[in-house]
Amino acid sequence: MDLINGIMNVLSPMNLLFSFIGCVLGTLVGVLPGLGTASTLSILLPITMYMDPTRSIIMLAGIYYGAAYGGSTTSILVNIPGETSSVCTCFDGFPMTKQGRAGQALWIAAVGSFIAGTFGVIMLSIIGPGIAKYALKFGPPEYFGLIFFSLTTLISLSGTSLIKGMVAGLMGLLAATVGVDNMTGITRFVFGSIAMMRGFEIIPIVIGLFGISEILTSTEEGIRKIYEGKLGKMMPRGTELKKGLLASIRGTLLGFPLGVLPGMVPALTSFLSYDLEKKISKTPEKFGTGLIEGVAAPESANNATAQAAYIPLLSLGIPTGPAMAVLLAAFIMYGLQPGPLLFQENADLAWTIIGSMYIGNVFLLILNLPLVGFWARISLIPYKFLGPAIICICVIGAYSPRNTLFDVWVAIGAGIVGYLMRKKKWPLPPLILGFILGPKLELSLRQSMSMGGISILFSRYISLVLILLAIFAAIVSLKFKRGLSSAIRPEDSDDY
Amino acid sequence: MAQLEGVLILVVSLIGLAEGVRLTVFKEPYILYDVIGPGYYIVIISGLLFIPGIIRLLDFGKTNEHTEPGENKGMKMRVVLLFGALVLYIFLMTIFGYFPATLFFLLISFRILGVKSLITNLVGSTAVAGAYYVIFIKYCHMVLPRGMFY
């Protein structure tokens, strides 16, 4: 019933319009190389401050899963992935285009994404409220365990160097302590500056780390050309159709459970899914020559992961990656706290967002199939025009939350840090998640210590299990990363 | 390069340790502290940072440095110039206001990034600045930095 009410809310004209705008912007973000999801969300977030909270969250959510759809178009047509999660799609998608089967590749990518997206939303409707209900039993020790697990898993999975991930995460935690301590009112790291007493605002940091740094990085890339070939027949037939759909289902079933884990970004699951298809195929040597499974599986996996990320965000208030972290910032900006209480106190909003995902998946199917030529031409826009225009929006975005130029300088500083980190292959997600989750981690630790000392973290079974899982996940991920093929380098991912 | 990174990490770690010790040792007399207080958490984080800082400084283990074959110096210079234009943009914003500064920044940055035609540059800059004025001021009613001319 709640879900039906949510869908009915979305069907109001204005909510439908904003869902559509989000899907269009998301597809555009996916199509344009050099413009990542987290960057776009961070740039648009302050602008949405002036809009109705429900509509702006619907729009931002649409951008996030829309980007997962849009990245495949340029991957298939011009061999340039719009998002890192679409890199795998190039391997077989572009060869299919060269064989005159671009239409079939685009069709299976869109339909596979739709299957994965719909499955993800259904599972979110079923699992999300259940997890939220269970999480109501969480106290400070459990939250400490959960955040510790999230950060550890994220650090373990981002990049091939554990040291770099750890440093980035710890730097984020440290940056979060700047300003006034919430419990005692004492200032930390202000060095006599009144501006620093307010601490760092999340939006300028995200805009700098993802928006400005991405533009500085992208100015070093060249201009792209478009492929002028024909699309051919759209829908595959017979065995091809069966293989494509089965690969989509496998990709979905792989991408969805992994997407719930912190650090498991769509880029990674798309590679895992492609790897899996190769392993189970009777003709693995043909991968890379234009197999439909090579397009269907990674596209489905990346969409399923994108949808699954909403489960920990909405039900526990834990973002699994930077784009989710920006969405979390959006919720906080509107005075909402995602987590177990969201489904209790703002059930209407939560179900409206979930309902908008159903509708959004339909919009995206419509946008991605008939308008594919249009999206391919969008990639013609040279970055020399886009880059400065986006910087100006970044400045507005950094200034808007507190109307102070200090935040703009913070954004520029974060931009330089982000640029240097990208150049030197340091992972960004641990830094931003450490910054966002740091205050919660510190608060839950200090509350737990006040309740019963350090032993309470190990005497409460949920907290103990989460801490042990964190250690186990770190050990397993170290072994897992050694086994990754050299084509997969998570620290290269610009897509968060 | 790893050594430089190690030095930077150690500097941050030491600053954090100094601040954490300050907060732990010099407690305010009239404030009620919790068990940990505001300092111990910082000491723990900074202490944990110290270890990877030492590792990077001494460059233990396999360094995973990626050397870019023949980096394009021209493109790097563009990035430096673009960053310089951005810093200048913020300074000018405090004097002239958002829109005049934005127009100036767009003119400069289009030129830096390779838009050679002056007319294209002028038209593009004016169009973008104008569009932002309509969207952010007229439609969104946002408050943007004001200066002498705006």
Side-chain angles (χ1 to χ4, degrees):
Chain A
M1 279 306 289
D2 290 319
L3 177 60
I4 293 171
N5 286 338
I7 294 175
M8 294 307 294
N9 285 341
V10 181
L11 292 176
S12 71
M14 288 307 286
N15 285 346
L16 265 181
L17 174 67
F18 277 90
S19 178
F20 181 73
I21 290 171
C23 293
V24 168
L25 285 173
T27 309
L28 190 63
V29 166
V31 161
L32 286 171
L35 201 61
T37 319
S39 323
T40 309
L41 287 171
S42 63
I43 291 163
L44 290 178
L45 178 59
I47 296 162
T48 61
M49 259 167 44
Y50 298 86
M51 293 160 42
D52 175 75
T54 307
R55 285 173 198 157
S56 57
I57 291 174
I58 287 174
M59 187 182 83
L60 293 171
I63 293 170
Y64 177 67
Y65 52 79
Y69 271 75
S72 59
T73 305
T74 49
S75 298
I76 290 166
L77 292 181
V78 295
N79 202 27
I80 295 163
E83 297 290 323
T84 316
S85 54
S86 304
V87 167
C88 277
T89 311
C90 292
F91 300 159
D92 280 274
F94 190 60
M96 284 181 76
T97 298
K98 288 199 285 190
Q99 292 162 15
R101 296 158 60 215
Q104 292 176 19
L106 291 164
W107 190 93
I108 199 64
V111 169
S113 299
F114 179 74
I115 292 170
T118 307
F119 175 80
V121 177
I122 292 170
M123 293 307 288
L124 171 61
S125 325
I126 297 168
I127 297 174
I131 294 178
K133 222 174 178 177
Y134 184 71
L136 282 171
K137 297 177 191 170
F138 279 25
E142 287 77 19
Y143 271 111
F144 175 82
L146 182 64
I147 298 169
F148 179 74
F149 169 73
S150 305
L151 284 172
T152 310
T153 318
L154 184 80
I155 286 168
S156 307
L157 287 172
S158 54
T160 50
S161 168
L162 187 61
I163 299 281
K164 287 183 177 178
M166 192 174 149
V167 169
L170 290 170
M171 291 282 197
L173 290 174
L174 210 54
T177 60
V178 173
V180 176
D181 174 41
N182 286 331
M183 288 181 90
T184 58
I186 289 171
T187 55
R188 300 187 290 192
F189 291 110
V190 300
F191 306 116
S193 161
I194 294 172
M196 295 278 277
M197 279 173 75
R198 297 171 76 182
F200 297 135
E201 177 70 25
I202 174 67
I203 292 168
I205 296 275
V206 175
I207 284 175
L209 278 180
F210 295 102
I212 294 177
S213 74
E214 196 155 323
I215 292 160
L216 291 176
T217 309
S218 296
T219 54
E220 292 181 86
E221 290 175 5
I223 296 171
R224 296 154 288 280
K225 290 184 187 168
I226 193 171
Y227 178 71
E228 298 282 354
K230 290 185 182 169
L231 294 178
K233 275 190 284 189
M234 289 302 280
M235 190 170 156
R237 303 251 181 246
T239 333
E240 282 279 287
L241 178 63
K242 187 180 164 191
K243 281 183 191 173
L245 290 176
L246 284 174
S248 296
I249 292 168
R250 284 192 292 267
T252 302
L253 293 175
L254 175 72
F256 185 82
L258 291 178
V260 178
L261 296 174
M264 197 52 89
V265 290
L268 206 49
T269 54
S270 66
F271 273 104
L272 289 171
S273 174
Y274 188 82
D275 231 22
L276 175 70
E277 286 302 310
K278 258 180 107 166
K279 285 190 165 90
I280 65 172
S281 171
K282 288 175 189 162
T283 53
E285 69 283 356
K286 287 191 179 172
F287 273 79
T289 63
L291 288 189
I292 201 164
E293 302 94 295
V295 174
E299 279 301 309
S300 306
N302 90 50
N303 268 270
T305 303
Q307 298 289 353
Y310 282 99
I311 291 180
L313 178 72
L314 292 179
S315 48
L316 297 170
I318 302 286
T320 54
M324 286 288 119
V326 179
L327 282 173
L328 175 66
F331 276 98
I332 294 168
M333 207 168 71
Y334 298 121
L336 303 162
Q337 183 58 47
L341 293 176
L342 187 72
F343 284 93
Q344 309 276 324
E345 293 171 1
N346 294 287
D348 261 353
L349 172 73
W351 287 110
T352 303
I353 293 168
I354 295 171
S356 75
M357 293 179 192
Y358 281 95
I359 308 293
N361 272 300
V362 175
F363 279 143
L364 286 163
L365 194 63
I366 295 167
L367 284 170
N368 276 272
L369 281 174
L371 297 177
V372 67
F374 169 74
W375 295 120
R377 273 162 178 77
I378 291 285
S379 69
L380 256 183
I381 300 173
Y383 215 77
K384 58 187 174 186
F385 292 113
L386 273 183
I390 294 168
I391 287 179
C392 295
I393 299 181
C394 287
V395 168
I396 295 175
Y399 182 81
S400 299
R402 300 194 291 194
N403 290 342
T404 165
L405 278 172
F406 172 74
D407 286 341
V408 179
W409 288 116
V410 167
I412 291 173
I416 284 296
V417 168
Y419 170 73
L420 292 171
M421 285 177 76
R422 284 172 197 260
K423 293 295 286 181
K424 296 299 165 192
K425 308 296 181 195
W426 282 68
L428 282 173
L431 178 64
I432 192 62
L433 254 76
F435 181 77
I436 288 176
L437 294 175
K440 251 187 186 172
L441 181 76
E442 183 186 3
L443 182 66
S444 51
L445 176 65
R446 287 166 74 172
Q447 285 175 335
S448 303
M449 295 290 281
S450 299
M451 282 166 68
I454 192 99
S455 59
I456 199 169
L457 297 174
F458 303 102
S459 59
R460 300 267 278 247
Y461 76 91
I462 295 175
S463 161
L464 175 66
V465 165
L466 286 166
I467 291 171
L468 290 174
L469 268 176
I471 297 165
F472 176 71
I475 296 166
V476 165
S477 70
L478 278 172
K479 288 194 170 172
F480 154 74
K481 275 195 289 204
R482 284 201 193 105
L484 279 179
S485 74
S486 58
I488 304 166
R489 287 185 358 199
E491 68 268 25
D492 286 342
S493 172
D494 292 329
D495 173 32
Y496 298 108
Chain B
M1 199 60 213
Q3 283 81 7
L4 180 60
E5 289 169 1
V7 168
L8 286 170
I9 295 166
L10 282 174
V11 166
V12 172
S13 167
L14 287 170
I15 292 173
L17 278 169
E19 183 72 353
V21 166
R22 177 187 77 83
L23 290 165
T24 311
V25 172
F26 301 106
K27 290 192 174 180
E28 300 283 334
Y30 303 111
I31 292 176
L32 195 63
Y33 285 74
D34 54 289
V35 173
I36 296 184
Y40 279 112
Y41 177 76
I42 293 176
V43 168
I44 295 167
I45 302 290
S46 306
L48 286 170
L49 254 181
F50 198 79
I51 303 160
I54 293 286
I55 292 172
R56 289 301 283 179
L57 183 67
L58 299 175
D59 203 21
F60 282 153
K62 202 170 149 184
T63 42
N64 216 359
E65 299 290 335
H66 302 285
T67 48
E68 303 283 341
E71 280 184 339
N72 190 334
K73 284 188 179 171
M75 290 300 194
K76 275 202 150 195
M77 185 49 68
R78 275 191 186 180
V79 174
V80 172
L81 288 173
L82 186 64
F83 178 71
L86 180 56
V87 172
L88 186 61
Y89 173 35
I90 308 305
F91 271 121
L92 289 176
M93 211 186 295
T94 58
I95 304 167
F96 298 112
Y98 180 77
F99 286 103
T102 298
L103 199 56
F104 173 78
F105 171 73
L106 287 169
L107 282 166
I108 298 288
S109 50
F110 283 160
R111 187 69 192 90
I112 290 169
L113 294 178
V115 179
K116 292 195 173 128
S117 161
L118 183 60
I119 294 172
T120 310
N121 206 337
L122 276 168
V123 169
S125 306
T126 313
V128 171
Y132 287 171
Y133 179 82
V134 168
I135 294 167
F136 297 121
I137 299 293
K138 291 295 178 193
Y139 179 69
C140 293
H141 303 288
M142 290 175 86
V143 175
L144 293 175
R146 290 182 173 262
M148 286 189 327
F149 301 113
Y150 166 75

